[in-house]
Amino acid sequence: MSTVIRGGTIVTADQTYRADVYCADGITKAIGDKLDVPAGTRTVDARGQYVMPGGIDPHTHMELPFMGTVASEDFLSGTAAAAAGGTTMIIDFVIPNPKTSLLEAYEQWRGWAKKACQDYSFHVAITWWSDQVSEEMGVLVRDKGVNSFKHFMAYKGAIMVSDEQLIASFSRCLELGAIPTVHAENGEIVWHLQQKLLKMGITGPEGHPLSRPPEVEGEAANRAIKIAGIVNTPIYIVHNSCIQSLDAITRARLDGQRVYGEVLAGHLVIDDAVYRHQDWTFAAAHVMSPPFRSREHQEALWKGLQAGTLQTTATDHCCFCAPQKAMGKGDFTRIPNGTGGVEDRMAILWTTGVNTGKLTPNEFVRITSSNAAQIFNVYPRKGSISVGADADIVVWDPKGTRTISAKTHHQKVDFNIFEGLTCTGVPSHTLSQGQLLWADGKLDVKEGAGRYINRPTFPVVYEAMKKQGELRTPKPVVRHAAE
Ligand code: URQ
Ligand code: ZN
Ligand code: ZN
């Protein structure tokens, strides 16, 4: 079935212009004024609306086994909810248990993701180190389309890696031309504070943010950035939540280092008062890491987005229902960490970013789609409206409204961190591979229609960095006679 989107204003990362878009065979075939299209082509009326690249969420965890349970959102329901919110691609995570094969874990996640209704890709986490891990990273890059490897500096005793392992893995990333990404929190300090708080009798969700203050995140972000600088590889810091990690990125970027920063929609609009709510379930529903912070951090994160210090937005969509969160009753360190948002990110950012004048529509496209596509090397196939690109398109109604609620959202979770927020600016139509998945307030998805998207490595960037690395490599010391 071919589709023509008529009467809209195309908004890309760098252009805004009036034109129709014709899609067929899963790709954008033509862009122009009053396009002639074959008989039988479906028409989407986009008058008064924007036609933008579908959102890319570079950070989700569908059906993640974590902290003794499994995230409630699966790859079909999660990608359907994403489409309802205007997102047309997710990058999820393969997270092998330590001492297990990365390749086996990769195949396991590929199996789970087969049910997805829109395109997806995977970062692969390095949760231990050995020659086998190094070897398997090579296979993942060469044969499986992986160009990014995740490192958790938190979650001691589970998936946390040491500095030694960071250095080994970052060095391997440089060899392979893959980008390392990090969850930056100092897991040793978190552990120390968790034990201290429990001993003080602080066992409720209010203990969670107290055990991971912003300094803990800033220290780890700075450490990861310094290691990447010495190894001379780019680095991508996920879910920056605070001034301290933002400062670390700002300093490094001003120093010419290739550092990318991500921020979650939740961290931009929700503050730490949620943990002091009298209702245990409400507070526990917000337990995620890094935690929601006090107000001054949100303001700083917005400035980071506006300044270009932070390039992407995501959701870290990792959902646990109330009975799962209740596993941490009496001990907040056992509350499964994670919150949702894959359906809400785009409308939240339009409402709080574009409608307030913080972001232009073009900047909105950059931070919700094009930058992630470029950083993870799938641009312009993804993240653009261009002939030959995948027809992943959202028709955006800037006047449409939606009040977010767990009662009406399409996410498979019984809580919504944005509950009650009314957004102005919503997707009226979402197309994935040219198929309408969302139209007139209804989903029409096909299980298994989603494809795994290969992401090639970054030869150009790495050639330049290797040269820079050679320049930085310490030269042999020439000894001289005493003066
Ligand atoms: O740390 C992550 O990104 C995963 C385990 C989701 N949970 C979370 O609290 N952010
Ligand atoms: Zn994380
Ligand atoms: Zn995550």
Side-chain angles (χ1 to χ4, degrees), residues 59 61 64 66 152 155 183 239 288-289 316 318 337-338:
H59 191 155
H61 301 280
L64 173 70
F66 189 55
F152 291 93
Y155 307 127
H183 171 134
H239 52 44
M288 61 93 58
S289 295
D316 200 357
C318 187
N337 282 210

